[in-house]
Amino acid sequence: MEHAKNTICLWFDGGAEEAARFYADTFPDSSVGRILRAPGDFPSGKKDDVLTVQFTVLGIPCLGLNGGPAFTHDEAFSFQVATYDQEETDRYWDAIVGNGGEESACGWCRDKWGISWQITPVALTEAIADPDPAAASRAFEAMMEMGKIDIAAIEAARRGE
């Protein structure tokens, strides 16, 4: 079996396999790989419980570790997903929030396992990088009022409408 040289390890309080399967079902170029069961009891589980799950999210190799309740996720780590239209933006946002997650601000949401996601339309990135500082500022101000990003509203703000 091939091993990635660098892998993002995500700590779960149980649920690593469920999360990996959700990500694989939700995002393209995502899959669930090897599932390792514990060869003996450990602080947050028993022999034969799922210990780690190898998975890929949008081409990024990850490892889910069922390490127990000692550590929790926060916004210091997030997956940033570039989207190309409103339908794709809505699909990812709605999948994450609709599966027990929660909305946040400025294109951020959190899944039910506590992992943060930035569902970021390319149109938003381009708008806030506009060489016209007034256009960039208008787009940025519009974004600051949003949860899920509304591409049409960002583009209108960029144009000054």
Side-chain angles (χ1 to χ4, degrees), residues 100-116:
E102 62 184 80
E103 297 185 12
S104 191
C106 305
W108 290 61
C109 57
R110 185 184 333 228
D111 67 28
K112 75 179 192 176
W113 300 278
I115 306 289
S116 292

PDB file of all heavy atoms in Angstrom, residues 100-116:
ATOM      1  N   GLY A 100     -26.092  18.013   9.905  1.00  0.00           N
ATOM      2  CA  GLY A 100     -25.794  18.247  11.317  1.00  0.00           C
ATOM      3  C   GLY A 100     -24.756  19.320  11.569  1.00  0.00           C
ATOM      4  O   GLY A 100     -24.326  19.517  12.699  1.00  0.00           O
ATOM      5  N   GLY A 101     -24.352  20.042  10.509  1.00  0.00           N
ATOM      6  CA  GLY A 101     -23.373  21.110  10.667  1.00  0.00           C
ATOM      7  C   GLY A 101     -24.028  22.411  11.061  1.00  0.00           C
ATOM      8  O   GLY A 101     -25.209  22.454  11.407  1.00  0.00           O
ATOM      9  N   GLU A 102     -23.236  23.474  11.011  1.00  0.00           N
ATOM     10  CA  GLU A 102     -23.791  24.784  11.351  1.00  0.00           C
ATOM     11  C   GLU A 102     -23.174  25.866  10.480  1.00  0.00           C
ATOM     12  O   GLU A 102     -22.021  25.772  10.053  1.00  0.00           O
ATOM     13  CB  GLU A 102     -23.588  25.101  12.825  1.00  0.00           C
ATOM     14  CG  GLU A 102     -22.153  25.184  13.265  1.00  0.00           C
ATOM     15  CD  GLU A 102     -22.029  25.416  14.770  1.00  0.00           C
ATOM     16  OE1 GLU A 102     -22.158  24.430  15.512  1.00  0.00           O
ATOM     17  OE2 GLU A 102     -21.793  26.570  15.188  1.00  0.00           O
ATOM     18  N   GLU A 103     -23.979  26.872  10.215  1.00  0.00           N
ATOM     19  CA  GLU A 103     -23.544  28.011   9.418  1.00  0.00           C
ATOM     20  C   GLU A 103     -22.667  28.919  10.255  1.00  0.00           C
ATOM     21  O   GLU A 103     -22.820  29.012  11.465  1.00  0.00           O
ATOM     22  CB  GLU A 103     -24.756  28.813   8.936  1.00  0.00           C
ATOM     23  CG  GLU A 103     -25.670  28.043   8.033  1.00  0.00           C
ATOM     24  CD  GLU A 103     -26.793  28.898   7.468  1.00  0.00           C
ATOM     25  OE1 GLU A 103     -26.745  30.141   7.599  1.00  0.00           O
ATOM     26  OE2 GLU A 103     -27.712  28.309   6.895  1.00  0.00           O
ATOM     27  N   SER A 104     -21.766  29.609   9.580  1.00  0.00           N
ATOM     28  CA  SER A 104     -20.988  30.655  10.211  1.00  0.00           C
ATOM     29  C   SER A 104     -21.017  31.853   9.266  1.00  0.00           C
ATOM     30  O   SER A 104     -21.948  31.986   8.484  1.00  0.00           O
ATOM     31  CB  SER A 104     -19.560  30.166  10.497  1.00  0.00           C
ATOM     32  OG  SER A 104     -18.889  31.087  11.325  1.00  0.00           O
ATOM     33  N   ALA A 105     -20.018  32.707   9.315  1.00  0.00           N
ATOM     34  CA  ALA A 105     -20.010  33.940   8.537  1.00  0.00           C
ATOM     35  C   ALA A 105     -18.988  33.885   7.405  1.00  0.00           C
ATOM     36  O   ALA A 105     -18.020  33.116   7.461  1.00  0.00           O
ATOM     37  CB  ALA A 105     -19.702  35.122   9.459  1.00  0.00           C
ATOM     38  N   CYS A 106     -19.222  34.707   6.398  1.00  0.00           N
ATOM     39  CA  CYS A 106     -18.241  34.955   5.328  1.00  0.00           C
ATOM     40  C   CYS A 106     -17.849  33.698   4.557  1.00  0.00           C
ATOM     41  O   CYS A 106     -16.692  33.520   4.184  1.00  0.00           O
ATOM     42  CB  CYS A 106     -17.000  35.637   5.887  1.00  0.00           C
ATOM     43  SG  CYS A 106     -17.335  37.157   6.787  1.00  0.00           S
ATOM     44  N   GLY A 107     -18.812  32.807   4.333  1.00  0.00           N
ATOM     45  CA  GLY A 107     -18.551  31.595   3.571  1.00  0.00           C
ATOM     46  C   GLY A 107     -18.068  30.424   4.396  1.00  0.00           C
ATOM     47  O   GLY A 107     -17.750  29.374   3.862  1.00  0.00           O
ATOM     48  N   TRP A 108     -18.003  30.588   5.711  1.00  0.00           N
ATOM     49  CA  TRP A 108     -17.545  29.515   6.593  1.00  0.00           C
ATOM     50  C   TRP A 108     -18.740  28.729   7.140  1.00  0.00           C
ATOM     51  O   TRP A 108     -19.794  29.291   7.434  1.00  0.00           O
ATOM     52  CB  TRP A 108     -16.785  30.079   7.789  1.00  0.00           C
ATOM     53  CG  TRP A 108     -15.453  30.661   7.490  1.00  0.00           C
ATOM     54  CD1 TRP A 108     -15.181  31.717   6.666  1.00  0.00           C
ATOM     55  CD2 TRP A 108     -14.203  30.249   8.023  1.00  0.00           C
ATOM     56  NE1 TRP A 108     -13.837  31.979   6.675  1.00  0.00           N
ATOM     57  CE2 TRP A 108     -13.205  31.094   7.493  1.00  0.00           C
ATOM     58  CE3 TRP A 108     -13.821  29.245   8.911  1.00  0.00           C
ATOM     59  CZ2 TRP A 108     -11.867  30.969   7.815  1.00  0.00           C
ATOM     60  CZ3 TRP A 108     -12.483  29.129   9.238  1.00  0.00           C
ATOM     61  CH2 TRP A 108     -11.523  29.978   8.691  1.00  0.00           C
ATOM     62  N   CYS A 109     -18.537  27.428   7.292  1.00  0.00           N
ATOM     63  CA  CYS A 109     -19.483  26.589   8.006  1.00  0.00           C
ATOM     64  C   CYS A 109     -18.682  25.490   8.700  1.00  0.00           C
ATOM     65  O   CYS A 109     -17.482  25.347   8.462  1.00  0.00           O
ATOM     66  CB  CYS A 109     -20.552  26.009   7.065  1.00  0.00           C
ATOM     67  SG  CYS A 109     -19.936  25.056   5.671  1.00  0.00           S
ATOM     68  N   ARG A 110     -19.353  24.760   9.554  1.00  0.00           N
ATOM     69  CA  ARG A 110     -18.679  23.708  10.320  1.00  0.00           C
ATOM     70  C   ARG A 110     -19.507  22.435  10.179  1.00  0.00           C
ATOM     71  O   ARG A 110     -20.730  22.474  10.287  1.00  0.00           O
ATOM     72  CB  ARG A 110     -18.593  24.122  11.779  1.00  0.00           C
ATOM     73  CG  ARG A 110     -17.806  23.169  12.631  1.00  0.00           C
ATOM     74  CD  ARG A 110     -17.806  23.535  14.104  1.00  0.00           C
ATOM     75  NE  ARG A 110     -17.981  24.958  14.308  1.00  0.00           N
ATOM     76  CZ  ARG A 110     -17.229  25.703  15.112  1.00  0.00           C
ATOM     77  NH1 ARG A 110     -16.276  25.166  15.811  1.00  0.00           N
ATOM     78  NH2 ARG A 110     -17.459  26.984  15.257  1.00  0.00           N
ATOM     79  N   ASP A 111     -18.826  21.310   9.957  1.00  0.00           N
ATOM     80  CA  ASP A 111     -19.562  20.055   9.855  1.00  0.00           C
ATOM     81  C   ASP A 111     -19.859  19.508  11.251  1.00  0.00           C
ATOM     82  O   ASP A 111     -19.423  20.065  12.265  1.00  0.00           O
ATOM     83  CB  ASP A 111     -18.835  19.040   8.952  1.00  0.00           C
ATOM     84  CG  ASP A 111     -17.514  18.519   9.501  1.00  0.00           C
ATOM     85  OD1 ASP A 111     -17.330  18.466  10.734  1.00  0.00           O
ATOM     86  OD2 ASP A 111     -16.656  18.155   8.677  1.00  0.00           O
ATOM     87  N   LYS A 112     -20.625  18.432  11.305  1.00  0.00           N
ATOM     88  CA  LYS A 112     -21.070  17.918  12.607  1.00  0.00           C
ATOM     89  C   LYS A 112     -19.945  17.344  13.451  1.00  0.00           C
ATOM     90  O   LYS A 112     -20.127  17.112  14.640  1.00  0.00           O
ATOM     91  CB  LYS A 112     -22.194  16.909  12.433  1.00  0.00           C
ATOM     92  CG  LYS A 112     -21.807  15.565  11.928  1.00  0.00           C
ATOM     93  CD  LYS A 112     -23.071  14.705  11.844  1.00  0.00           C
ATOM     94  CE  LYS A 112     -22.794  13.267  11.622  1.00  0.00           C
ATOM     95  NZ  LYS A 112     -24.042  12.494  11.646  1.00  0.00           N
ATOM     96  N   TRP A 113     -18.770  17.143  12.865  1.00  0.00           N
ATOM     97  CA  TRP A 113     -17.618  16.652  13.622  1.00  0.00           C
ATOM     98  C   TRP A 113     -16.745  17.814  14.100  1.00  0.00           C
ATOM     99  O   TRP A 113     -15.706  17.602  14.701  1.00  0.00           O
ATOM    100  CB  TRP A 113     -16.800  15.667  12.780  1.00  0.00           C
ATOM    101  CG  TRP A 113     -17.646  14.504  12.381  1.00  0.00           C
ATOM    102  CD1 TRP A 113     -17.945  13.399  13.135  1.00  0.00           C
ATOM    103  CD2 TRP A 113     -18.341  14.353  11.151  1.00  0.00           C
ATOM    104  NE1 TRP A 113     -18.794  12.583  12.436  1.00  0.00           N
ATOM    105  CE2 TRP A 113     -19.055  13.140  11.215  1.00  0.00           C
ATOM    106  CE3 TRP A 113     -18.452  15.124   9.991  1.00  0.00           C
ATOM    107  CZ2 TRP A 113     -19.854  12.673  10.169  1.00  0.00           C
ATOM    108  CZ3 TRP A 113     -19.252  14.670   8.954  1.00  0.00           C
ATOM    109  CH2 TRP A 113     -19.929  13.457   9.047  1.00  0.00           C
ATOM    110  N   GLY A 114     -17.142  19.042  13.778  1.00  0.00           N
ATOM    111  CA  GLY A 114     -16.410  20.221  14.233  1.00  0.00           C
ATOM    112  C   GLY A 114     -15.374  20.751  13.263  1.00  0.00           C
ATOM    113  O   GLY A 114     -14.708  21.740  13.562  1.00  0.00           O
ATOM    114  N   ILE A 115     -15.217  20.117  12.097  1.00  0.00           N
ATOM    115  CA  ILE A 115     -14.257  20.587  11.092  1.00  0.00           C
ATOM    116  C   ILE A 115     -14.847  21.817  10.385  1.00  0.00           C
ATOM    117  O   ILE A 115     -16.001  21.799   9.965  1.00  0.00           O
ATOM    118  CB  ILE A 115     -13.941  19.493  10.052  1.00  0.00           C
ATOM    119  CG1 ILE A 115     -13.471  18.207  10.725  1.00  0.00           C
ATOM    120  CG2 ILE A 115     -12.961  19.997   8.995  1.00  0.00           C
ATOM    121  CD1 ILE A 115     -12.117  18.256  11.338  1.00  0.00           C
ATOM    122  N   SER A 116     -14.041  22.855  10.254  1.00  0.00           N
ATOM    123  CA  SER A 116     -14.471  24.076   9.579  1.00  0.00           C
ATOM    124  C   SER A 116     -14.181  23.997   8.084  1.00  0.00           C
ATOM    125  O   SER A 116     -13.158  23.451   7.662  1.00  0.00           O
ATOM    126  CB  SER A 116     -13.771  25.299  10.170  1.00  0.00           C
ATOM    127  OG  SER A 116     -14.228  25.521  11.487  1.00  0.00           O
TER     128      SER A 116
END
